[in-house]
Amino acid sequence: MSKNGSITITVEGSNNSASMPLLGGTLGPLVADIRKLYSSLGIFTYDPGYGETASCESKITYIDGDEGVLLYRGYPIEQLAEKSDFIEVCYLLMNGELPNAEQLEKYRKDVTHHTMVHEQLRRFYDGFRRDAHPMAIMCGVVGAMAAFYHDNLDINDERQREVAAFRLIAKVPTIAAMAYKYALGQPFVYPRNDLSYAANFLYMLNSVPAEPYEISPVLARAMDLILILHADHEQNASTSTVRLAGSTGANPFACIAAGIAALWGPAHGGANEAVLKMLAEIGTKDKIPAFIEQVKDKNSGVKLMGFGHRVYKNFDPRAKIMKETCHEVLAELGIKDSPLLDMAMEMERIALTDEYFISRKLYPNVDFYSGIILKAMGIPTSMFTVIFAVARTVGWVSQWKEMIEDPSQRIGRPRQIYTGAGVRDYAGLDKR
């Protein structure tokens, strides 16, 4: 960070004022450094949701919502999606630079040879009901990894942090696939080290011992893209949760489990699941116009899911990539008469032509297209957020490592405005 002048804050009606330095990063707006605000003026700031507050310094991801820009370590997401694969993106996020051929090969091997989970960890699944939500299983099993891998719980040891990172990135897909198989009542499928990360994940999700499973290159690439596009997204709710948990010195498995719990919320990781729920509630394609009219009516309370984005005020750069992939997947699978997917395509058409959507920049976002892709691939909606967690694990791990290695990082301790009762005396039961 560099200093770029200062601002002066004055308490109105008094002579109390304080100068706060303005800090600048590589990209983005200036930030007022208010760390000495309370000691100087005796006041705090109030920012519900931290929408105007930088909680940390990071070199990993940059978003410009107004311009529709997403960068991983400075590289545009469009270029990475076109030219890279998920493992290379993992290396980039964790290490800061793209690998050379030798580094990439070693990294692939390091991840690949950690994909197996401890056999005793399999027994945890027997404790869950068959109809348990897979995200509930993910929270429990990922957190339980700390009970099995004692050799990398020292967060102050660089090598132990690295091994923990490999274990999480490699094993979370295996744990996710096992949660899916458990719900189906099918046997767990062991990972295959001869497959790519995305292809191996599809294999563990879909194969059964009774017959061979052929992996479509189109579907494997689609899954790879979904993972790349969801790998990190700056200081969102789940990433901030991971950092906040990590600031206490908690072990990495507990921190990632906390991130998974935060991701579970429908306002965050459940957004693509909400898209298909919305389409199911509409019912049929002929009812879409009536639904759109309800959306336009502010008093109807009807919400539009999968269009627009809290961060991207112009367009979601990931959605453009997912749109093309979506149509490739539908063509690969020969899907032409699915009512739900027909509805989705009609919603897309309306959003791109209706003035109401265009004027408000309510373009289809990445959740809209990823939901359609996963549905077309036969993956149940309950697994959508799980796949999001598989993708985001590398982002969480990278953010956690960066935070641990940042000498200026302190334990998270937000302030509050207290609006409860003032000081009062206790009254006995006979006087209440």
Side-chain angles (χ1 to χ4, degrees):
M1 291 185 292
S2 60
K3 290 187 178 181
N4 291 268
S6 64
I7 61 170
T8 300
I9 299 175
T10 302
V11 179
E12 191 173 354
S14 75
N15 292 322
N16 296 331
S17 64
S19 178
M20 302 289 159
L22 288 172
L23 306 178
T26 308
L27 299 168
L30 296 177
V31 177
D33 183 354
I34 59 169
R35 283 176 287 185
K36 295 184 179 180
L37 182 62
Y38 181 71
S39 62
S40 299
L41 297 178
I43 61 175
F44 298 122
T45 57
Y46 180 57
D47 184 18
Y50 312 114
E52 306 295 326
T53 300
S55 61
C56 64
E57 176 186 352
S58 181
K59 299 177 180 179
I60 299 172
T61 306
Y62 174 75
I63 297 171
D64 185 334
D66 292 331
E67 297 298 324
V69 171
L70 171 60
L71 307 177
Y72 289 171
R73 298 286 191 177
Y75 293 97
I77 191 64
E78 296 89 345
Q79 293 182 22
L80 293 172
E82 178 187 355
K83 301 176 181 180
S84 204
D85 70 358
F86 183 64
I87 287 296
E88 187 174 49
V89 169
C90 288
Y91 183 99
L92 172 66
L93 290 173
M94 279 186 62
N95 298 290
E97 299 292 341
L98 287 170
N100 60 34
E102 182 180 348
Q103 290 169 329
L104 182 58
E105 181 62 24
K106 181 180 184 304
Y107 190 85
R108 284 191 200 281
K109 288 181 179 179
D110 287 338
V111 171
T112 299
H113 289 92
H114 280 292
T115 53
M116 295 277 289
V117 298
H118 196 290
E119 277 295 292
Q120 284 184 285
L121 200 66
R122 293 163 55 97
R123 299 179 187 174
F124 274 70
Y125 291 81
D126 294 332
F128 293 99
R129 286 172 46 133
R130 285 285 178 183
D131 60 353
H133 196 288
M135 283 296 281
I137 297 175
M138 292 290 290
C139 288
V141 178
V142 172
M145 288 174 69
F148 290 86
Y149 302 109
H150 301 289
D151 58 333
N152 55 267
L153 295 183
D154 183 357
I155 64 172
N156 297 311
D157 185 308
E158 182 179 0
R159 176 55 183 165
Q160 291 193 40
R161 291 197 301 270
E162 184 179 43
V163 173
F166 281 128
R167 282 177 168 160
L168 280 160
I169 294 167
K171 296 181 193 302
V172 165
T174 308
I175 291 170
M178 289 166 69
Y180 178 51
K181 288 296 191 182
Y182 182 75
L184 293 177
Q186 294 181 0
F188 296 150
V189 176
Y190 288 100
R192 276 178 48 185
N193 289 351
D194 61 316
L195 297 175
S196 70
Y197 191 93
N200 180 54
F201 186 39
L202 287 177
Y203 169 76
M204 291 189 292
L205 287 173
N206 298 314
S207 66
V208 293
E211 58 188 45
Y213 173 70
E214 293 187 11
I215 302 169
S216 161
V218 173
L219 300 189
R221 178 56 179 160
M223 178 59 74
D224 197 65
L225 282 172
I226 287 174
L227 298 177
I228 289 173
L229 298 181
H230 289 88
D232 198 55
H233 209 238
E234 219 186 61
Q235 302 309 312
N236 52 79
S238 58
T239 299
S240 296
T241 298
V242 170
R243 278 183 172 263
L244 193 61
S247 74
T248 70
N251 71 75
F253 305 110
C255 295
I256 301 308
I260 291 171
L263 187 69
W264 193 357
H268 190 10
N272 50 12
E273 186 175 346
V275 170
L276 292 189
K277 183 179 179 181
M278 174 190 73
L279 295 175
E281 289 175 349
I282 294 173
T284 55
K285 186 176 177 179
D286 61 294
K287 295 180 181 179
I288 290 179
F291 174 78
I292 295 298
E293 290 305 313
Q294 287 182 301
V295 170
K296 294 178 179 179
D297 180 2
K298 294 181 179 179
N299 299 318
S300 70
V302 175
K303 292 185 178 181
L304 183 68
M305 308 304 296
F307 294 82
H309 195 281
R310 181 181 176 183
V311 173
Y312 298 109
K313 305 308 179 187
N314 191 338
F315 61 89
D316 183 342
R318 302 169 299 171
K320 290 183 175 181
I321 303 163
M322 277 287 92
K323 177 182 178 180
E324 182 178 338
T325 304
C326 178
H327 292 285
E328 289 175 357
V329 168
L330 295 180
E332 169 73 5
L333 296 172
I335 297 176
K336 297 179 180 179
D337 56 357
S338 168
L340 201 63
L341 296 176
D342 287 344
M343 290 170 59
M345 293 300 99
E346 177 63 11
M347 288 288 290
E348 177 197 44
R349 186 193 66 79
I350 292 172
L352 298 177
T353 58
D354 190 302
E355 181 58 29
Y356 176 87
F357 288 84
I358 295 172
S359 62
R360 291 166 175 77
K361 298 180 179 179
L362 294 176
Y363 303 112
N365 60 33
V366 69
D367 299 308
F368 179 80
Y369 292 113
S370 64
I372 297 171
I373 291 172
L374 295 174
K375 178 68 175 177
M377 292 168 68
I379 296 173
T381 54
S382 62
M383 281 293 294
F384 286 7
T385 315
V386 174
I387 292 172
F388 195 161
V390 171
R392 186 55 57 84
T393 295
V394 66
W396 290 332
V397 167
S398 300
Q399 297 272 352
W400 172 80
K401 279 181 77 273
E402 181 180 64
M403 181 209 65
I404 295 297
E405 294 163 4
D406 182 355
S408 67
Q409 184 64 38
R410 302 167 59 194
I411 184 172
R413 181 57 171 88
R415 296 291 184 170
Q416 66 172 24
I417 297 177
Y418 175 68
T419 56
V423 178
R424 49 185 173 175
D425 293 325
Y426 177 87
L429 279 172
D430 59 330
K431 296 181 180 179
R432 296 182 210 164

